[in-house]
Amino acid sequence: MTGKTVLLAGATGLVGRELLAALLADPAVAAVHALGRRALDVQHPKLTSHVVDFAALPSLPRIDEAYVALGTTIKVAGSQAAFRAVDLDAVTAVARAAQSAGATKLGIVSAMGADPSSRVFYNRVKGEMEQKVRALGIDTTVFARPSLLEGDRASLQQPRRPAERWLQAAMRALRPVTPANLRAIAARDVAVSLIEALRTRAPGAHVLLSGALQRR
């Protein structure tokens, strides 16, 4: 088989869905192995869906590159501990498993403000995740730190977020005078820019702020 074999964790989320679509449409990709807690409702000749427990991942097929778009909220998770289990532990576990399966390139969707020393719990967990993944020493790692994400949340059956919708409307109105890193960003832009960066960046760990992810 010619072409890349790619791993994707979190294909049912806002950015993960866009990553999946872009990877399946990419002629350079021969196979996509998607990890999730439930089977995908997407069918494609390139796609293999794996239902897994992220706390006890099985051995993975050999892969060339991996993308991780796992994430939740404290409200959905139910507690800070449950949030950490997804946004820190599961992400790190997938990164480690991908490395063991041969991946030399890893793209991760993190968050604006990620900082292991932050007083804000969410930002601190994201920063700790980045710190742990960096320590793995994968040849090329790219962390995408998007601002407020725009996309079709309703089709994903995600919780209604009235305050977020109001903020998105306000940010669209103020877009011309808002710094690039603070503008709301389309989930597809994050996905496409992350794939592009992972394929073109030199070895090492790289952070893409939201402004660098924007494609318009």
Side-chain angles (χ1 to χ4, degrees):
M1 179 184 293
T2 59
K4 299 177 185 293
T5 298
V6 179
L7 180 74
L8 171 60
T12 59
L14 205 59
V15 177
R17 179 177 60 182
E18 298 293 349
L19 281 167
L20 179 62
L23 292 169
L24 292 177
D26 187 348
V29 173
V32 177
H33 293 273
L35 305 183
R37 289 173 292 183
R38 62 182 184 276
L40 296 177
D41 58 6
V42 177
Q43 293 187 339
H44 192 281
K46 293 183 182 181
L47 178 64
T48 302
S49 180
H50 303 266
V51 178
V52 300
D53 176 357
F54 287 105
L57 287 172
S59 295
L60 302 177
R62 297 296 295 177
I63 57 174
D64 300 300
E65 62 188 34
Y67 298 87
V68 186
L70 294 171
T72 186
T73 64
I74 296 176
K75 182 177 181 180
V76 171
S79 68
Q80 289 189 347
F83 175 82
R84 287 179 66 89
V86 176
D87 284 60
L88 174 59
D89 299 337
V91 173
T92 306
V94 172
R96 188 178 295 112
Q99 183 181 39
S100 296
T104 58
K105 295 178 180 291
L106 173 66
I108 291 186
V109 181
S110 183
M112 184 175 68
D115 181 351
S117 61
S118 176
R119 294 183 179 181
V120 178
F121 176 77
Y122 179 87
N123 292 347
R124 185 167 67 251
V125 171
K126 291 293 189 181
E128 290 174 6
M129 175 274 292
E130 290 189 10
Q131 198 172 55
K132 285 182 176 293
V133 171
R134 283 173 184 264
L136 296 176
I138 294 172
D139 290 0
T140 305
T141 303
V142 177
F143 298 100
R145 294 184 184 173
S147 180
L148 180 67
L149 291 169
E150 293 185 324
D152 183 5
R153 297 184 187 277
S155 67
L156 297 176
Q157 298 182 332
Q158 292 187 350
R160 294 172 63 86
R161 300 173 181 177
E164 187 174 83
R165 291 200 301 273
W166 177 88
L167 181 58
Q168 287 176 338
M171 292 179 76
R172 282 194 291 270
L174 296 172
R175 183 180 179 84
V177 296
T178 302
N181 286 334
L182 300 180
R183 294 172 187 164
I185 182 169
R188 176 167 173 76
D189 284 2
V190 178
V192 173
S193 293
L194 179 57
I195 293 170
E196 181 180 277
L198 194 63
R199 303 272 176 83
T200 58
R201 292 296 174 107
H206 307 274
V207 171
L208 290 183
L209 299 181
S210 204
L213 296 166
Q214 296 277 1
R215 303 186 73 84
R216 57 189 173 90

